[in-house]
Each structure stands twice: as structure tokens, then as C-alpha cells.
């Protein structure tokens, strides 16, 4: 009798779904998934509609989950070169050059500052992390004007920018020229165009870029509500030793009505390859991601997807700062301390990032008002980043 019960129980278990050990969605060979994504026509879904009739996304043939590292000592290697590249010879004046206090959390090269009380003039600084700040004339005023709520904004990936196309091209050329002065392997892709009006009524443009690794944009969307239960990746905190999910903030260019660039820079810096990882032989295809998302997004109701992209999301895993580059000291012992000390807990030179590819579905793409559904390309797991005002 006991043997019959055991056999019956085993048969029932075979018929039950694998609760607790349920596998993710089927994976597709990378080359097939890339071919599909290059000319994808969305189907009909229960909870999703798409503004784009056809979606074209480039998937590199060597897409990998890799480890990137925040650039370090960039200021020492390129500071003088990049300042002189931006500042014309006829403007350069040694008396306008000063050095930053090297106990600041982000080290600077020498700073060229020839701006007057009205903010006009020339400015250049290069940070250890690969960030630069270039400004001239009204550049600072243009940079600090928040365009987030303006109606005249364009997602360059999906919107027709019309007569503003030359402004985007100017931003692309400048970014490419700037990168060519360095050995950085990243690229900068214009993502948003904002047509703005200054306090004097004069129009200007702001272009925000996404930093790309191997042609894949790195997510630049910061969580406005980090305690939201809809986004499950942890953010850096004291509890997890300041590791966790982060964005790579946008580099910004400001362009005058006559096409002159008067500001370039910002963001959190640049990254370099630390560990190449293994090429993803299989990934969740875009069509499978749509199916999975449609099934799980019901709690948000039917969603119209405005833009779809392949993006890396970064998670800080620690640091690999060489001891000879430590810049801080223990006041009691005199011992050298890493940048990740009491001054700066995370987002410093030599931070290590786990870079994982995701399909990003933008339901709302207004700056600081985003609603994005991320589908992990390796597991099919879904995270929802909801920056809608609470």
C-alpha cells in the first residue's frame, strides 16, 4: 500500500508545474535574435501597443555580460591636452589656470577659468573619472537651465527632429572629435534634444547623450523613487557596502542658434573594459521579451510603448583602485586611504560595474518622469522603473 501511494505521489509531482524552480523563457541564438531585432514588427499583445510600426535595434555579434571599470587618473593623462584642445591659443592665459584641492572626492586637472562676473568667458576642467566641463559665453547658463518640463523636446531615436537636425549632427561631430583625443573605447550617442529659450528669449538647444559600450547604450535613467517596490535591483547603501544598481548620467551639449557649441560635459564619467566576460550565445529575443512583458505588466494596465532599446544596466560590485593612486589619509595614523573612504562612498574612480544587457521598453520617456519596463536579456526577469510623480 505504501509503495502504491509513493508511486501515485511521484506521478502527480510529474504532472505539476515546476513551482519554485520554474525556468525562464526560451532563449534564442544570438545571431537569430540580432537579425530579428534589426527589423522587428510588433505583433498584437494583450497589454502592449507600440507607437512604432517597425523597430530597428542593433545587437552586436559579441554582446556579453561584462565588467566595466570607472576610469581613473584620466585628469593626469589628458588634463592639459584636453584643456588646450578646447581653449583657443589666443584665449589661453597661464594666469587663468589654477589647481583644485586634491582632497576633493573627484580629482581635477588644472582648471582654466576666465569667466567674468556675468558668467561669460572660457572654462575647462578635466576630472579623474573621465568627465570634462567645457563652457564659454552663455554656456553655464544654458547648462543649468532645466528643460525637463518643456514641450519642445525630442527623443532622437523615434521623433522627427525636423529643422533641428543640424544641431544633432553638430553634437555628434563634437562628441566624436572629443573622443578622438583620448584612448577611450566608449562612444556617445545623442538621445534627447531640447529646444529651449534663455532668460533673454534667445533660443538654444540642449542635447543629452547616452554613453555606449560596444555600441550598446548604458542606461542613464536615475531612480527618482529608490524605495519603490517595482524596481527590484538594490541601490547603493550603507547596508550593502555602497554597491548596487546605478545609472551612468548623461553628458550634455548646449548649442547656440548659429550652431556654436558653448557647453559640453557633465555626467559621472567614462568606463573602460575590466573583464570581457563570455559572449552571450543565446539571449531572450525581442519577440519573447514582448510576450513576457505583456503577460506580467497587467498590473500597470495597457501600455503604449514609445521607444524600445537594448541597454546595459550597471551594478557596482566593488572597486579595484591601485593603492598607489590613493589620495586620502587617515588623520590619526597617516595611512593612505582609497577614494571609497569617508569622503565618497561610491561612484568614484576604479569602481567596478557588472554590465548586464536588458531590453528597455519606454512607456514614458520625459526626463525625470520616465516609466520603463526592463527585460533581462539573459533571464527574462522584469524590473519596472517608475519615475511618475507620486
Amino acid at each position: 500500500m505504501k509503495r502504491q501511494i509513493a508511486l501515485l505521489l511521484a506521478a502527480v509531482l510529474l504532472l505539476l508545474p515546476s513551482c519554485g524552480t520554474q525556468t525562464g523563457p526560451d532563449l534564442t541564438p544570438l545571431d537569430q535574435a540580432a537579425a530579428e531585432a534589426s527589423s522587428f514588427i510588433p505583433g498584437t499583445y494583450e497589454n502592449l501597443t507600440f507607437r512604432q510600426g517597425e523597430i530597428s535595434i542593433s545587437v552586436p555579434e559579441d554582446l556579453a555580460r561584462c565588467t566595466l571599470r570607472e576610469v581613473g587618473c584620466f585628469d593626469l593623462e589628458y588634463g592639459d591636452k584636453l584643456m588646450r584642445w578646447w581653449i583657443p591659443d589666443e584665449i589661453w592665459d597661464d594666469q587663468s589656470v589654477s589647481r583644485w584641492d586634491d582632497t576633493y572626492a573627484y580629482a581635477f586637472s588644472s582648471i582654466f577659468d576666465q569667466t567674468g562676473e556675468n558668467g561669460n568667458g572660457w572654462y575647462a576642467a578635466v576630472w579623474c573619472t573621465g568627465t570634462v566641463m567645457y563652457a564659454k559665453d552663455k554656456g553655464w547658463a544654458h547648462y543649468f537651465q532645466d528643460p525637463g518640463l518643456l514641450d519642445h523636446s525630442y527623443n532622437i531615436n523615434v521623433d522627427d527632429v525636423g529643422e533641428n537636425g543640424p544641431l544633432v549632427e553638430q553634437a555628434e561631430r563634437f562628441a566624436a572629435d572629443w573622443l578622438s583625443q583620448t584612448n577611450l573605447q566608449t562612444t556617445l550617442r545623442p538621445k534627447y534634444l531640447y529646444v529651449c529659450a534663455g532668460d533673454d528669449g534667445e533660443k538654444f538647444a540642449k542635447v543629452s547623450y547616452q554613453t555606449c559600450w560596444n555600441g550598446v547604450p548604458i542606461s542613464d535613467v536615475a531612480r527618482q523613487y529608490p524605495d519603490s517596490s517595482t524596481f527590484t535591483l538594490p541601490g547603493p547603501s550603507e547596508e550593502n557596502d555602497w554597491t548596487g544598481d546605478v545609472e551612468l548620467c548623461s553628458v550634455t551639449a548646449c548649442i547656440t542658434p548659429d550652431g556654436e557649441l558653448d557647453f559640453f560635459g557633465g555626467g559621472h564619467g567614462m568606463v573602460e573594459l575590466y573583464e570581457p566576460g563570455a559572449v552571450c550565445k543565446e539571449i531572450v529575443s525581442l519577440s519573447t521579451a514582448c510576450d513576457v512583458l505583456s503577460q506580467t505588466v497587467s498590473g500597470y494596465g495597457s501600455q503604449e510603448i514609445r521607444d524600445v532599446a537594448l541597454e546595459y544596466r550597471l551594478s557596482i560590485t566593488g572597486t579595484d583602485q591601485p593603492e598607489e593612486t590613493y589620495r586620502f589619509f587617515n588623520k590619526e595614523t597617516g595611512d593612505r586611504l582609497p577614494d571609497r573612504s569617508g569622503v565618497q562612498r561610491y561612484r568614484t574612480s576604479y569602481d567596478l560595474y557588472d554590465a548586464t544587457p536588458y531590453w528597455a521598453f519606454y512607456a514614458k520617456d520625459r526626463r525625470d518622469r520616465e516609466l520603463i519596463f526592463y527585460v533581462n536579456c539573459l533571464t527574462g526577469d522584469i524590473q519596472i522603473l517608475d519615475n511618475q510623480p507620486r
Side-chain angles (χ1 to χ4, degrees), residues 55-122:
I55 297 168
S56 181
I57 301 175
S58 177
V59 179
E61 62 182 10
D62 56 349
L63 178 71
R65 179 179 181 178
C66 56
T67 303
L68 303 177
R69 181 171 65 177
E70 186 95 0
V71 171
C73 296
F74 187 82
D75 57 315
L76 300 179
E77 187 171 1
Y78 291 108
D80 291 338
K81 176 183 180 181
L82 290 175
M83 286 197 304
R84 294 302 295 258
W85 178 78
W86 168 249
I87 306 293
D89 289 342
E90 62 271 19
I91 298 296
W92 188 271
D93 176 4
D94 288 341
Q95 294 184 351
S96 299
V97 178
S98 61
R99 295 205 64 84
W100 193 270
D101 180 356
D102 62 6
T103 61
Y104 183 59
Y106 293 109
F108 282 91
S109 68
S110 298
I111 298 171
F112 184 94
D113 189 356
Q114 207 179 78
T115 55
E117 293 182 1
N118 59 2
N120 292 343
W122 290 83

Side-chain angles (χ1 to χ4, degrees), residues 30 59-68 213-214 216 273 275-283 310-313 353-358 377-378:
L30 181 61
V59 179
E61 62 182 10
D62 56 349
L63 178 71
R65 179 179 181 178
C66 56
T67 303
L68 303 177
W213 177 257
N214 195 22
V216 178
L273 186 63
E275 289 289 348
V279 173
C280 305
K281 296 181 179 179
E282 297 179 316
I283 64 171
L310 176 67
E311 295 184 349
Y312 274 120
R313 284 206 68 87
Y353 303 107
D354 172 74
T356 302
Y358 284 79
C377 290
L378 308 181

Side-chain angles (χ1 to χ4, degrees), residues 8-30:
L8 179 60
L9 179 59
V12 171
L13 289 174
L14 288 173
L15 293 175
L16 288 174
S18 54
C19 300
T21 59
Q22 187 173 358
T23 59
D26 293 335
L27 301 179
T28 300
L30 181 61

Side-chain angles (χ1 to χ4, degrees), residues 163-184:
E163 63 183 10
N164 298 304
L167 299 176
V168 178
E169 294 172 2
Q170 164 72 337
E172 288 178 323
R173 286 194 300 269
F174 189 90
D177 288 347
W178 181 80
L179 285 165
S180 70
Q181 309 303 311
T182 76
N183 64 357
L184 291 170

Side-chain angles (χ1 to χ4, degrees), residues 154-161 168 172 190-193 207-208:
Y154 303 88
N155 180 330
I156 296 169
N157 300 331
V158 296
D159 293 332
D160 180 6
V161 299
V168 178
E172 288 178 323
K191 182 180 181 183
Y192 292 120
L193 168 67
V207 174
S208 66

Side-chain angles (χ1 to χ4, degrees), residues 352-372:
L352 299 178
Y353 303 107
D354 172 74
T356 302
Y358 284 79
W359 296 113
F361 295 81
Y362 286 76
K364 301 284 192 305
D365 60 356
R366 180 69 67 88
R367 187 78 167 268
D368 297 333
R369 301 289 190 274
E370 299 92 350
L371 174 59
I372 309 172

